[in-house]
Amino acid sequence: MKITKYIYSLLAVVMMAFMTGCSPDEYALGEKDLSSDDLVEGIAYTITHDSNNPNIIYLKSLLPSNYAVTFDTPQGRFQANSATLKIPFNGEYQARIGVTTRGGFLWGPYADFTVEDFCSEFVDDPLWTYISGGVGKSKTWKLDIDANALTRHSDLWAGPLGFWGVDDDWSTCFLGQTASAGDHWNWTPDIAGNGWVMTAMDYGYMTFDLIGGAHVTVHNNETGEEWRGTYMLDTDNHTITLSDAELLHNSGHDGVVTNWSKSLKLMGLDDDRLQIAALRDNSSEGPCLLCYNFCSQDYWDNWKPVVDETPVTPTLMEGWRSLIQNPTNREITFKLAEDGDEDGFAFGYCNLDGSVKDATLSANDGIEDATLVLYYGGTDATNTYTYTAPDGSAITGTYTLDDNGIFTFSNGLGNTSLGANYNMSTNADNTLRIMSVTKDDYTGALKSVWLGKQCIDDQGNLFQYQGYHWKAQTAGAAVKKYKGVLNYFSTGFAVTLTSSDVFITGDGDYTFTINGANSEPYGIYLDIAKLYADNNNCDVIIKSIKVDGNEISFDDATIDRGTADGDHSTARRYIVNPWGKTADEASKFSFTSSIEVTVHVTYDTGENKMEPTEVGAKRN
């Protein structure tokens, strides 16, 4: 029996060797079966001109069909056994063939060919006119951003650079068509709020012409470089190829793209809009299209911002009046906020919309003794106030509050120095405007009020407010609370969902629930604001995850611990991190009704769990 098995095994080996020897694929693994000298015109491929229109050039492979062939041409690269070029301009051109072998990819030498005449019908397509201005003309395009982070074509995009799926193209971008399959998504961030995308500056220009040929000049203000070359449009496939030049782009993305010139995708083009995408193929974040957005020089020069003549006023939260004039809690005592507390500072300057400007002013000693007491009596005659200055002097009177949030104090508030060159008082007519109102998310009670005095320029225009930050005082020591929220976003950030606020008041278990439905999960993270700032040794342990009521498996150790982007005061657990260890877990979170996450919060574990590299140092 053993002899029989041996004979069968020997026969099998002989048959495999025979079949391998008969295979047409005779080159050895790891060795090229061709040399560059084999990949020449006339042996590996042919270049021929159309008999009726010599501006049409045919490239055809002569290699066996088992070779994967790529043609490198003046109109880009074609991964096919043949390619048809439509070259409008006379001149000398080059092409070559490349082959994929088991030993790697191999290019042959360039072959020259000549186009004798100009073929006007090949530049009749409107795209040639849009990009160059037409035959005998030139047109300049500007990357749509300047030093003020201003994007002029904000009606089309939020900023100069968009991120798109690798399968997106002219149809999904310019035509807005929906693709049924493939990697399709997009996100175009504004530069003002996303400075990491690129530095805000005037990056220069690209000029395309059709003057005796198709020429391009690219001037990069960031690097000082200038390229002069030619370009070719493939109007059928919506690509553009630059020769001796690169697409104008920011240097911050140099290393993540290996090709800034060949067969770039034309994503959009009309009279004052140009979008060209290069493939990000060398990034740890994976491949995508980097779509650079340009506007024409004419549009850039003649653009004017839309001026909204509607007066800018603060938008106050819903129910603001009932918080201040509360019939249940008729008397409210206010003190100026303490500098550096979690709610801001005692005073500062406010924009016309009520937002506080980012400027910290030094406060005088003793201003914490200033007190404002409002009593809501229900009528103008019974609504009273008492302002007590830091020196103990008091001003009393009645007040009114209109629907626009404007207080009128019958006897004003005196004149109190809060800091160097900064005094607190009312306007000349004894009014102050409410800039903003906040409430305690946990109790729903009034938390603070910013009151503003008008600042008028020498032309009589209101340009900002001088703000005073009054915090409502509550009896007893309040329990410190931290607001937690579970966040969900889908592919391309098309859908974002959040849980209701959950307030963390001490060590224990807390459950966060997102209600809704989505079938394209991309990222899920839990944030607890300010928890890490106050408790560097805290920990947030994932205890349970349910999708549509069903428990799903997880490993708490693989779920990223850390703090929020740009905010190291907030503790974060990144349950599904598209850029982290749990990226492949996203499919588990496709849901039809709810996602529920239960965590255990510990304020002090004895060591820094969330950001151990910080060695316990507080960061605010």
Side-chain angles (χ1 to χ4, degrees), residues 171-445:
S171 63
T172 56
C173 179
F174 187 73
L175 300 183
Q177 296 176 354
T178 301
S180 58
D183 182 28
H184 295 282
W185 56 273
N186 68 87
W187 178 50
T188 302
D190 66 282
I191 298 302
N194 297 274
W196 58 270
V197 175
M198 66 172 66
T199 302
M201 64 173 290
D202 180 348
Y203 278 87
Y205 60 85
M206 295 192 300
T207 298
F208 296 89
D209 73 41
L210 283 179
I211 304 172
H215 307 104
V216 61
T217 298
V218 179
H219 182 84
N220 189 319
N221 282 340
E222 183 185 20
T223 64
E225 295 175 283
E226 183 168 291
W227 297 278
R228 297 179 184 273
T230 59
Y231 70 98
M232 191 68 69
L233 289 180
D234 184 337
T235 57
D236 294 326
N237 296 307
H238 293 100
T239 63
I240 182 170
T241 293
L242 309 179
S243 299
D244 302 319
E246 289 186 349
L247 174 69
L248 180 62
H249 63 277
N250 61 307
S251 62
H253 286 96
D254 273 342
V256 298
V257 172
T258 59
N259 168 34
W260 291 104
S261 301
K262 300 278 188 179
S263 297
L264 305 174
K265 284 191 177 183
L266 194 61
M267 304 287 279
L269 175 60
D270 61 20
D271 191 55
D272 51 40
R273 162 190 186 174
L274 172 61
Q275 294 172 275
I276 301 177
L279 177 64
R280 186 184 73 184
D281 56 357
N282 190 36
S283 168
S284 60
E285 296 183 17
C288 75
L289 295 178
L290 300 184
C291 180
Y292 284 83
N293 303 320
F294 300 84
C295 62
S296 68
Q297 181 77 58
D298 183 65
Y299 186 88
W300 177 285
D301 292 340
N302 292 286
W303 177 85
K304 291 182 174 59
V306 177
V307 178
D308 185 359
E309 297 183 355
T310 304
V312 177
T313 58
T315 300
L316 304 180
M317 66 183 300
E318 185 177 353
W320 64 270
R321 180 186 281 277
S322 62
L323 291 172
I324 296 172
Q325 295 184 321
N326 189 330
T328 301
N329 184 23
R330 290 182 175 274
E331 185 172 281
I332 302 176
T333 299
F334 296 89
K335 283 185 172 292
L336 290 170
E338 295 182 13
D339 279 358
D341 75 5
E342 64 178 357
D343 298 308
F345 298 89
F347 57 93
Y349 290 99
C350 298
N351 297 303
L352 298 183
D353 64 0
S355 58
V356 181
K357 294 187 175 183
D358 186 15
T360 303
L361 306 175
S362 298
N364 292 339
D365 293 337
I367 67 169
E368 65 274 9
D369 295 329
T371 303
L372 177 63
V373 179
L374 297 180
Y375 177 79
Y376 175 54
T379 67
D380 290 348
T382 57
N383 292 343
T384 61
Y385 74 96
T386 300
Y387 169 67
T388 303
D391 64 4
S393 60
I395 297 173
T396 61
T398 59
Y399 73 88
T400 61
L401 177 61
D402 69 16
D403 291 338
N404 295 316
I406 297 177
F407 272 107
T408 300
F409 298 96
S410 62
N411 296 316
L413 297 180
N415 190 20
T416 301
S417 175
L418 301 181
N421 301 313
Y422 197 108
N423 287 11
M424 180 172 64
S425 62
T426 62
N427 296 305
D429 58 358
N430 289 336
T431 59
L432 290 175
R433 183 170 207 135
I434 297 177
M435 299 283 98
S436 62
V437 178
T438 63
K439 67 177 181 179
D440 190 300
D441 291 329
Y442 188 67
T443 65

Side-chain angles (χ1 to χ4, degrees), residues 443-610:
T443 65
L446 177 66
K447 191 174 184 180
S448 69
V449 177
W450 274 88
L451 300 180
K453 175 184 176 181
Q454 294 179 345
C455 296
I456 308 298
D457 64 19
D458 57 2
Q459 303 298 312
N461 299 311
L462 172 65
F463 67 97
Q464 66 179 8
Y465 288 89
Q466 188 170 279
Y468 319 123
H469 189 191
W470 292 101
K471 291 192 67 175
Q473 305 299 295
T474 55
V479 176
K480 182 73 173 182
K481 302 178 295 293
Y482 302 96
K483 184 171 71 174
V485 178
L486 184 64
N487 302 274
Y488 174 104
F489 55 93
S490 67
T491 303
F493 300 88
V495 174
T496 56
L497 300 169
T498 60
S499 69
S500 297
D501 297 340
V502 175
F503 291 93
I504 311 303
T505 56
D507 291 4
D509 293 348
Y510 299 88
T511 298
F512 300 79
T513 303
I514 292 176
N515 295 309
N518 189 264
S519 60
E520 296 184 332
Y522 193 54
I524 301 174
Y525 61 94
L526 170 65
D527 277 354
I528 303 177
K530 308 294 183 181
L531 179 64
Y532 182 71
D534 295 341
N535 307 277
N536 267 182
N537 291 337
C538 68
D539 195 12
V540 180
I541 300 172
I542 311 294
K543 295 189 64 179
S544 169
I545 301 177
K546 295 180 180 180
V547 176
D548 294 331
N550 300 312
E551 292 273 1
I552 67 169
S553 61
F554 66 93
D555 181 357
D556 182 75
T558 65
I559 297 175
D560 290 334
R561 284 171 163 82
T563 55
D565 299 337
D567 177 11
H568 290 281
S569 69
T570 294
R572 171 172 290 182
R573 293 302 307 273
Y574 223 130
I575 298 166
V576 178
N577 185 348
W579 308 279
K581 292 176 288 188
T582 54
D584 294 335
E585 300 291 308
S587 60
K588 294 182 179 181
F589 291 86
S590 177
F591 69 109
T592 58
S593 60
S594 66
I595 294 176
E596 183 181 289
V597 177
T598 299
V599 302
H600 182 81
V601 177
T602 303
Y603 280 14
D604 189 356
T605 65
E607 59 180 315
N608 191 334
K609 297 279 191 178
M610 302 303 290

Side-chain angles (χ1 to χ4, degrees), residues 23-43:
S23 171
D25 191 4
E26 295 184 349
Y27 49 84
L29 182 64
E31 295 179 357
K32 296 184 178 72
D33 58 324
L34 296 171
S35 70
S36 179
D37 292 338
D38 297 318
L39 300 180
V40 296
E41 182 193 5
I43 297 177

